[in-house]
Every structure is written in structure tokens, then in C-alpha cells.
Amino acid sequence: MKRDWPIDGRREWLVRRNCSLTPRQTTVAWAALLCLSLAIGLFFTWQGAWYVLVFSAVEMTAVTAAFIVYSRHATDSDRIVYEDHVLYVQKVRGGHTSTISLDPTWLRIVAPQRRRDPILLIARGITVDVGTWLPEEPRRALARELRKELAQ
């Protein structure tokens, strides 16, 4: 979770997914898996077992679909900005961005009760969940930090 220092009354928190592979590493892993599967399929086709190439093609399709889904959500994030007495929550999910503004006067921050619960920000009938990807203790720390900052 990235935080910034307060500048001119603005505070910002950024919560991102923890992706173990960079985009370049993801592409290399994908290409290596496809090359290996294609090599095995071609080898067995050369030996007369052409149906192995069909299964190899199905496998390559499944691997490609999985990597596309992984790549679409690798940049998912929650950005929370407190500025000019307004709390903005920008959510990026699968390349789609939505921004919600909340009135801190009416804001209630519900800390996670169970292990996998997100932080809930509730104001005037609008509920936004944030911190989904954080481990349990950093998620609770973010809830405490948001409460402390908005209480000032």
C-alpha cells in the first residue's frame, strides 16, 4: 500500500494487486509454454500420433485465455484521495475506471470483521469496498489510518 505525505491538505492512498510477474516476464512465460506445447505436439505428429497436436492446440488456447484474464486484472487498483473535504475513491477493474466521491461528514468506515472482508466506506447510502487485495493486518491498518485522517 503506497501512501504519500500530506501536501496542501491532500492525502492519497494507493492499493494495488500484488503481481509476481512483470508484463515482460508474463509474455516470456506465455511464449515459453506455447513453444513447449507446440514442440511436443509437432514431435508426436511427426511420430504419427497427430491427435496429440489437437490436444496441444486446446492446451495452448486455454493457457492463452488464462494469461489474457491475468493480464487484464494485473493493473487493478484502488486509489483513495482526500482533498478539499471530499473523499474520492477511484477503482480500476479490468481496464475500467470508476470514480466515486464521498462526503466525509457522513462517512462511516467499517473495518474488516473477518479475515477476507474488505474495508467498507459508507456515506449517504453509497457503499464502496476498498483494500480487497491487502493482507488482513495492513487492511486493518489502512482502516485505522483513514479514520485518523478523516477525524482531523
Side-chain angles (χ1 to χ4, degrees):
M1 171 178 53
K2 180 182 172 191
R3 299 173 191 88
D4 70 344
W5 296 100
I7 300 172
D8 299 329
R10 176 186 167 110
R11 284 296 310 264
E12 185 173 331
W13 296 266
L14 180 62
V15 181
R16 289 186 178 166
R17 266 184 190 262
N18 183 16
C19 294
S20 57
L21 297 175
T22 65
R24 176 178 233 149
Q25 290 171 331
T26 302
T27 304
V28 168
W30 171 76
L33 284 172
L34 260 56
C35 288
L36 180 65
S37 183
L38 182 61
I40 291 169
L42 289 175
F43 173 78
F44 280 99
T45 299
W46 183 60
Q47 297 294 321
W50 59 268
Y51 50 86
V52 175
L53 186 60
V54 174
F55 285 107
S56 179
V58 170
E59 177 193 16
M60 289 187 287
T61 303
V63 167
T64 300
F67 272 88
I68 288 171
V69 169
Y70 172 82
S71 297
R72 278 187 61 93
H73 293 284
T75 59
D76 287 0
S77 65
D78 295 332
R79 180 183 302 270
I80 305 164
V81 179
Y82 180 57
E83 182 177 39
D84 297 330
H85 302 291
V86 178
L87 187 73
Y88 300 99
V89 179
Q90 181 184 50
K91 297 176 72 115
V92 178
R93 299 290 186 274
H96 300 287
T97 303
S98 64
T99 303
I100 300 117
S101 59
L102 301 169
D103 183 0
T105 308
W106 297 95
L107 185 68
R108 186 174 61 143
I109 300 170
V110 179
Q113 301 300 314
R114 291 180 299 226
R115 185 176 167 183
R116 295 309 235 160
D117 288 349
I119 299 168
L120 297 177
L121 305 175
I122 305 169
R124 296 189 180 210
I126 300 172
T127 303
V128 182
D129 61 327
V130 295
T132 308
W133 307 292
L134 288 174
E136 184 177 7
E137 190 48 44
R139 197 172 330 124
R140 291 183 192 280
L142 175 62
R144 283 190 302 269
E145 194 172 325
L146 284 168
R147 279 192 188 123
K148 181 182 172 190
E149 186 64 33
L150 295 174
Q152 295 178 358

